[in-house]
Amino acid sequence: MPQPTTAESPSRIPVAATPFFGREGVLTELRATLTGPRRLVTIVGPPGVGKTRTSQELARAWLEDLSDAREAGVWCVDLSGASSSSDLTREPARTLGVDRLIAAEVPELLADLGAIMNRAGPSLVILDNAEQVLAPVVRALETWLATAREARFVVTSRAV
C-alpha cells in the first residue's frame, strides 16, 4: 500500500514516523556514490533490514542537496503491488503525476516517463520493493538511464 504524503511532504517522500539512526554511514556512502558517475544503485536485503527507510532518507537528503529544490526532484515509487510490466509503468506514472499517460502501451509509456524525468533535471527516482518485477525494472531502467541523463535511480529489492 503506498504511503501517504502530506502538505509538509510535497516531494512525494513518505513522512517519517520515527527518527533515522544507525545507518548514517550507509546513507553517506549512497549519497557519495550517486553524486559521482554512477547513476544506479541497488539496495538488496531480507525483509525488515531498512531498505525502504534508508532509500527514503536518501531521498530527503537528495532534496536538501538540490540547489533548485523543484518538487519534481525526487520520486519514491512503491512497487509492492506491481506484478507485471504494465504495473511497473503505471506506478511511476501515478507518482510522477501523469496518470493521463497510463493508457499508453508499455514501451511508449517508458519513453514518455523517461522524457518527463529528463525535463526534471537532476532528480532521484526510487523504485521500492522491486523484487516481483525485476525483469521489467531492468527494461525500464535501460530506457530511463538512456533518456533521463541527469536522473539517478535507486532500486530496493529482496532479490538480485
Side-chain angles (χ1 to χ4, degrees):
M1 170 190 264
Q3 295 183 359
T5 57
T6 68
E8 295 81 36
S9 179
S11 58
R12 299 169 197 85
I13 304 168
V15 176
T18 59
F20 181 77
F21 63 92
R23 291 167 278 180
E24 292 83 359
V26 172
L27 187 59
T28 300
E29 186 176 338
L30 286 169
R31 288 173 79 178
T33 299
L34 288 170
T35 56
R38 291 198 180 131
R39 296 179 46 219
L40 172 62
V41 171
T42 304
I43 303 172
V44 180
V49 298
K51 299 176 298 292
T52 296
R53 182 60 189 272
T54 300
S55 68
Q56 291 170 355
E57 290 302 319
L58 176 64
R60 286 182 188 82
W62 186 271
L63 193 60
E64 288 175 13
D65 291 346
L66 287 175
S67 59
D68 177 10
R70 293 173 281 185
E71 186 175 325
V74 178
W75 297 292
C76 295
V77 181
D78 181 5
L79 296 175
S80 60
S83 61
S84 67
S85 296
S86 295
D87 293 339
L88 171 69
T89 54
R90 276 194 289 268
E91 291 308 316
R94 284 188 187 104
T95 303
L96 273 67
V98 289
D99 292 22
R100 69 188 185 286
L101 299 177
I102 291 175
E105 293 296 318
V106 170
E108 290 79 19
L109 183 52
L110 287 175
D112 290 343
L113 290 170
I116 290 165
M117 292 173 196
N118 189 55
R119 285 193 298 274
S123 55
L124 179 66
V125 179
I126 296 171
L127 301 174
D128 192 29
N129 299 302
E131 54 272 356
Q132 66 280 354
V133 285
L134 285 177
V137 165
V138 169
R139 285 190 296 277
L141 286 169
E142 288 171 348
T143 299
W144 296 339
L145 285 164
T147 309
R149 302 261 182 222
E150 294 184 80
R152 301 293 195 253
F153 298 88
V154 174
V155 178
T156 73
S157 177
R158 295 178 183 180
V160 178

